[in-house]
């Protein structure tokens, strides 16, 4: 018997929070549930969790036999499909680190990132070999394994992923894994300077997965059919493949076919209930649904939208079609889940317009995430008006970058500076006003480019709009709107100005509207405002 003064020890088991549990659980409880992938030739590859389990474990064993040591990086350069899911689990379960490379980056940037991370092996799709050829001379992977998606023989100088799996015996056990061991690595997409690496741990990933699945976060259930359109090379497809595997959901992967009709056809044929991606994807899908409203019979329930702000008009339009847009905010440095916008029980009776205003905000911090907004004068009040930089803290938030780069992104009291400017309202909803460098400073006052462009995207003729700061001799900077009109639609600058006028102070209205056929986008589908600022730097205000 302990005395009352002896320090009390808890009596709970210390089981490490590691990834193998996900695989084991899925295979034991849901062996018959399907994983479906669209291949480059548009055919569907179909297998079950039982098959996936066998192959992911074979990959882990084969990597160990190939000499992979704990903590070594294995890069992937792949579309979303079953083999990428195998890599998501096989690499970390071997004690290695999954490093997803972004195939939309310039080859020299991909090479830079692979060199920086010191990737040892690479797993890639056969259809991406032309890209590999462009970067191969700039980075030395020890071995490159090619997934034969299109079925052609693997060319000389490369090895077959299937042959790699064949080197496994199948009688193999996981190496001991510490929950603090690294599990995966992602680089920021570089809209703010050189890409920087974030290294996730087994523990941070497991806890992030649990929180992401919660009803007030993504709200995932085993009965969901989940299709991440967000690439698996973009912050772990927002954690969806991990959550779906832990819960045993049917998983559907679009492969390289991301055009709206292909996506809608896949959602229909596989009964997808939850999908996720950036607003540009969903604006395109919305156009397709409006053009042919009766073409697809969908079971879709939720579209998770993040990466950039979801325009309120888009949330409303999807509601009318019976699909719920769930607006979420996150970052590579946050695994990525930060906030999710769902209405609290105390707000559901508000008038419709107010409800939409909340849903268009980025939302409430997820459990275990702390937020604060800080200005030059210290922490700002939660009044929904005062702007400050969003700072965050939590178990799945990075505490540093790989290699200790850019240490100034962390405050001396241990919070991560997001670089996003926000207001937080009395209910706790965070609203991203802008990225620090995208704010427009006119006559010494800030204008939110995001607010103005989102309002513009509510105009029926507007497909996409980006608002950027352009130097101005009198005001320092003034807003200029770059607009893409919907097919077959017309609108003049005057009409758009009038449309915005009732919603904003006069000085917030763009002084110029430029009509273009396309807005340049980053590899993650976000507007490349830096490029637009550059393009219109010498704009003559007349
Ligand atoms: P990068 O910082 O290199 O663009 P990330 O993919 O990590 O890479 O992007 C994180 C950033 O994306 C956030 O800091 C924020 O500016 C933006 N973002 C993400 N989700 C949203 C959202 N729902 N609304 C507005 N901005 C968002």
């Amino acid at each position: 018997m302990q005395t009352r003064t002896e320090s009390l020890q808890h009596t709970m088991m210390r089981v490490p929070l590691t990834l193998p549990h996900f695989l084991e659980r899925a295979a034991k409880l849901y062996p018959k549930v399907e994983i479906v992938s669209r291949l480059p030739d548009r055919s569907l590859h179909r297998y079950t969790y039982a098959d996936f389990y066998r192959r992911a474990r074979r990959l882990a064993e084969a990597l160990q036999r190939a000499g992979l040591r704990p903590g070594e990086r294995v890069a992937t350069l792949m579309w979303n499909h079953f083999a990428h899911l195998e890599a998501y689990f096989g690499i970390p379960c071997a004690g290695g680190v999954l490093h997803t490379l972004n195939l939309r980056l310039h080859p020299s940037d991909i090479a830079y990132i692979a060199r920086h991370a010191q990737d040892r092996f690479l797993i890639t799709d056969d259809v991406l070999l032309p890209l590999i050829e462009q970067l191969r001379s700039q980075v030395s992977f020890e071995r490159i394994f090619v997934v034969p998606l299109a079925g052609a023989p693997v060319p000389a100088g490369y090895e077959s992923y299937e042959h790699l799996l064949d080197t496994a015996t199948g009688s193999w056990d996981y190496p001991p894994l510490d929950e603090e061991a690294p599990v995966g690595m992602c680089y920021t997409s570089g809209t703010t300077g050189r890409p920087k690496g974030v290294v996730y741990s087994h523990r941070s990933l497991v806890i992030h997965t649990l929180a992401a699945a919660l009803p007030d976060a993504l709200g995932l259930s085993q009965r969901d059919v989940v299709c991440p359109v967000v690439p698996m090379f973009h912050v772990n497809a927002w954690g969806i493949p991990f959550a779906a595997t832990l819960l045993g959901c049917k998983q559907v992967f679009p492969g390289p076919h991301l055009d709206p009709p292909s996506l809608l056809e896949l959602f229909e044929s596989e009964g997808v209930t939850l999908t996720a991606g950036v607003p540009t994807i969903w604006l395109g899908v919305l156009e397709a649904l409006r053009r042919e409203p009766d073409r697809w019979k969908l079971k879709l329930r939720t579209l998770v939208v993040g990466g950039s702000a979801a325009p309120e008009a888009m949330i409303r339009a999807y509601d009318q079609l019976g699909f719920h847009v769930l607006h979420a905010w996150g970052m590579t440095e946050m695994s990525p889940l930060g906030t999710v916008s769902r209405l609290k029980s105390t707000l559901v009776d508000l008038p419709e317009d107010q409800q939409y205003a909340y849903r268009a905000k980025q939302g409430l911090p997820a459990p275990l995430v702390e937020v604060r907004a800080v200005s030059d004068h210290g922490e700002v009040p939660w009044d929904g008006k005062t702007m400050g930089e969003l700072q965050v803290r939590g178990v799945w938030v990075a505490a540093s970058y790989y290699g200790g780069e850019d240490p100034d992104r962390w405050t001396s009291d241990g919070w991560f500076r997001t670089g996003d400017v926000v207001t937080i309202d009395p209910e706790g909803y965070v609203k991203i006003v802008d990225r620090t460098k995208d704010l427009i400073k006119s006559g010494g006052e800030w204008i939110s480019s995001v607010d103005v462009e989102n309002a513009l995207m509510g105009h029926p003729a507007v497909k996409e709009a980006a608002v950027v700061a352009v130097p101005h001799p009198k005001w320092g900077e003034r807003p200029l709107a770059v607009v893409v009109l919907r097919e077959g639609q017309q609108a003049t600058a005057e009409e758009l100005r009038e449309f915005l006028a009732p919603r904003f102070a006069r000085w917030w209205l763009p002084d110029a509207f430029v009509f273009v056929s396309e807005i340049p986008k980053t590899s993650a589908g976000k507007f490349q405002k830096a490029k637009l600022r550059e393009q219109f730097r010498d704009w003559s205000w007349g």
Side-chain angles (χ1 to χ4, degrees):
M1 224 14 203
Q2 280 189 313
T3 66
R4 207 180 278 170
T5 50
E6 258 178 275
S7 75
L8 186 65
Q9 299 288 310
H10 73 71
T11 63
M12 308 314 289
M13 292 185 183
R14 290 182 201 268
V15 178
L17 300 172
T18 55
L19 211 52
H21 175 75
F22 290 34
L23 257 190
E24 291 298 315
R25 181 173 196 274
K28 280 199 188 84
L29 303 183
Y30 307 106
K32 294 185 213 137
V33 174
E34 281 184 316
I35 296 167
V36 182
S37 312
R38 178 162 253 162
L39 299 180
D41 69 357
R42 306 188 69 84
S43 65
L44 293 178
H45 172 280
R46 210 175 268 283
Y47 71 8
T48 63
Y49 272 105
D51 303 316
F52 159 64
Y53 171 79
R54 241 183 336 267
R55 287 173 56 90
R57 280 176 48 96
R58 291 188 85 88
L59 173 60
E61 183 190 348
L63 286 171
Q64 279 201 327
R65 286 178 170 270
L68 188 76
R69 288 180 294 264
E72 284 186 333
R73 273 71 76 202
V74 179
T76 61
L77 193 76
M78 299 162 111
W79 293 105
N80 289 12
H81 52 64
F82 66 99
H84 210 166
L85 189 68
E86 290 163 9
Y88 260 49
F89 284 86
I91 295 168
C93 287
V97 177
L98 165 77
H99 179 200
T100 49
L101 291 169
N102 182 341
L103 59 87
R104 296 216 182 98
L105 296 179
H106 189 272
S108 59
D109 289 331
I110 301 177
Y112 165 83
I113 290 172
R115 278 197 314 271
H116 191 268
Q118 297 172 281
D119 295 333
R120 184 169 174 196
F121 300 144
L122 170 71
I123 305 175
T124 190
D125 295 347
D126 53 1
V127 291
L128 293 170
L129 284 178
L131 175 57
I132 303 289
E133 286 294 319
Q134 291 178 58
L135 57 90
R136 216 177 159 179
S137 62
Q138 303 168 55
V139 52
S140 50
F141 296 110
E142 196 177 306
R143 297 171 73 177
I144 301 180
F145 303 104
V146 178
V147 181
L149 293 179
V154 172
Y158 297 98
E159 298 177 62
S160 160
Y161 173 77
E162 293 301 329
H163 291 167
L164 174 69
L165 296 197
D166 288 343
T167 63
T169 62
S171 80
W172 172 84
D173 211 355
Y174 304 101
L177 288 169
D178 190 301
E179 66 176 21
E180 297 289 358
V183 71
M185 193 165 186
C186 282
Y187 275 69
T188 59
S189 54
T191 40
T192 51
R194 265 291 201 196
K196 287 172 282 286
V198 176
V199 184
Y200 311 109
S201 66
H202 278 266
R203 174 185 148 86
S204 72
L205 187 145
V206 169
I207 303 175
H208 178 266
T209 304
L210 289 173
L214 286 174
D216 283 338
L218 303 186
L220 273 184
S221 137
Q222 191 273 326
R223 287 167 299 285
D224 272 311
V225 178
V226 175
C227 178
V229 175
V230 49
M232 292 170 84
F233 53 76
H234 193 211
V235 218
N236 303 322
W238 301 347
I240 290 171
F242 291 118
T245 303
L246 179 65
L247 299 185
C249 310
K250 174 174 172 183
Q251 300 189 54
V252 179
F253 294 106
H257 299 290
L258 302 178
D259 59 288
S262 297
L263 288 176
L264 287 163
E265 191 185 294
L266 188 66
F267 295 169
E268 178 180 41
S269 72
E270 300 308 316
V272 169
T273 60
L274 182 138
T275 177
V278 292
T280 38
I281 290 274
W282 305 124
L283 287 168
V285 167
L286 185 60
E287 281 280 292
L289 285 170
R290 279 173 165 159
R291 253 195 316 269
E292 297 176 274
D294 302 321
R295 176 161 164 199
W296 297 280
K297 303 275 168 281
L298 302 175
K299 291 194 180 146
L300 207 55
R301 179 168 69 74
T302 305
L303 294 100
V304 183
V305 180
S308 317
E312 185 182 317
M314 186 180 92
I315 302 177
R316 286 178 184 259
Y318 272 110
D319 267 1
Q320 275 172 10
L321 297 170
F323 309 127
H324 185 88
V325 167
L326 184 61
H327 192 194
W329 165 87
M331 298 183 80
T332 305
E333 293 87 339
M334 301 189 68
S335 306
L337 184 64
T339 66
V340 182
S341 205
R342 288 195 190 264
L343 280 181
K344 291 182 187 180
S345 59
T346 45
L347 300 178
V348 291
D349 295 326
L350 285 177
E352 201 178 84
D353 284 353
Q354 289 179 37
Q355 292 194 23
Y356 278 115
Y358 276 113
R359 285 185 51 201
K361 294 188 184 196
Q362 280 65 22
L364 298 171
L368 305 182
V369 171
E370 289 174 87
V371 297
R372 70 183 186 189
V374 177
S375 75
D376 293 343
H377 313 292
E379 200 171 335
V380 308
W382 289 22
D383 59 6
K385 289 197 277 284
T386 316
M387 295 182 197
E389 185 192 24
L390 181 62
Q391 300 183 353
V392 294
R393 196 162 73 160
V395 259
W396 60 77
V397 180
S400 68
Y401 288 121
Y402 172 60
E405 286 173 12
D406 214 356
D408 294 344
R409 289 296 293 272
W410 286 266
T411 64
S412 54
D413 61 345
W415 292 65
F416 173 67
R417 296 181 216 268
T418 64
D420 287 327
V421 180
V422 299
T423 59
I424 307 179
D425 68 28
E427 296 284 351
Y429 285 77
V430 174
K431 176 173 192 265
I432 306 253
V433 175
D434 233 323
R435 283 196 144 187
T436 326
K437 60 188 177 12
D438 290 338
L439 274 172
I440 302 162
K441 199 162 201 182
S442 169
E445 297 289 340
W446 296 113
I447 296 173
S448 158
S449 66
V450 173
D451 275 0
V452 180
E453 64 202 22
N454 279 345
L456 263 177
M457 286 190 268
H459 188 283
V462 175
K463 183 171 169 224
E464 289 177 353
V467 174
V468 292
V470 172
H472 189 282
K474 181 168 175 200
W475 300 109
E477 289 175 350
R478 287 295 299 150
L480 173 142
V482 186
V483 178
V484 182
L485 292 175
R486 287 175 56 194
E487 228 176 87
Q489 302 277 332
Q490 297 293 325
T492 63
E494 237 354 272
E495 281 163 17
L496 294 181
R497 244 181 98 80
E498 270 168 37
F499 176 75
L500 292 176
R503 296 153 210 246
F504 298 102
R506 270 181 66 83
W507 60 277
W508 273 49
L509 301 181
D511 285 347
F513 293 79
V514 181
F515 296 91
V516 298
S517 58
E518 204 180 342
I519 291 176
K521 304 203 179 66
T522 68
S523 61
K526 304 181 196 196
F527 295 153
Q528 254 179 337
K529 295 211 188 156
K531 207 166 195 171
L532 291 174
R533 276 196 295 270
E534 183 59 28
Q535 191 179 341
F536 295 103
R537 200 181 46 188
D538 301 320
W539 183 258
S540 148
W541 291 106

